[in-house]
Amino acid sequence: MINTELDQLYERRRGHWRENRRWSFVLLGLWLFSTLGLIYWPDAWDFQFLGWNFSFWLAAQGILLFYWLIVATYSAVMLRADRRWGLDEPDFED
């Protein structure tokens, strides 16, 4: 009986880790594209935005917002995955 419970826990953890890796690779890919594609190749983004060149605005402000969005997405997705795989921490009452 204990063996089957441990096997189930092992399978849940494997599934959770598989989902974690998939989302990590996707979000790291977005981070790589945004860093290299949008910052280091600014000639592709040569137009005016709020009175400044868009590439300057993107490097100064926009990319930071995008990084924050990546972190927030990862946090929300992993919270949902923890609940789905039954690996979330229980809420404790004071």
Side-chain angles (χ1 to χ4, degrees), residues 37-89:
L38 301 177
I39 300 278
Y40 289 123
W41 292 297
D43 295 337
W45 309 101
D46 192 20
F47 59 90
Q48 294 291 316
F49 181 76
L50 298 176
W52 298 87
N53 284 339
F54 185 70
S55 59
F56 174 79
W57 180 85
L58 195 61
Q61 302 295 328
I63 202 71
L64 296 175
L65 296 174
F66 191 70
Y67 290 161
W68 178 84
L69 182 65
I70 288 173
V71 170
T73 301
Y74 180 78
S75 176
V77 165
M78 285 300 107
L79 183 63
R80 191 174 61 223
D82 289 347
R83 289 182 183 145
R84 180 176 33 250
W85 291 99
L87 299 173
D88 56 333
E89 295 183 14

Side-chain angles (χ1 to χ4, degrees), residues 12-55:
R12 287 196 329 242
R13 287 185 176 184
R14 272 187 72 194
H16 182 270
W17 179 240
R18 192 176 326 116
E19 187 172 350
N20 186 350
R21 282 185 305 180
R22 182 179 50 226
W23 277 102
S24 293
F25 286 131
V26 167
L27 294 173
L28 281 172
L30 286 173
W31 169 81
L32 184 67
F33 170 75
S34 65
T35 300
L36 295 179
L38 301 177
I39 300 278
Y40 289 123
W41 292 297
D43 295 337
W45 309 101
D46 192 20
F47 59 90
Q48 294 291 316
F49 181 76
L50 298 176
W52 298 87
N53 284 339
F54 185 70
S55 59

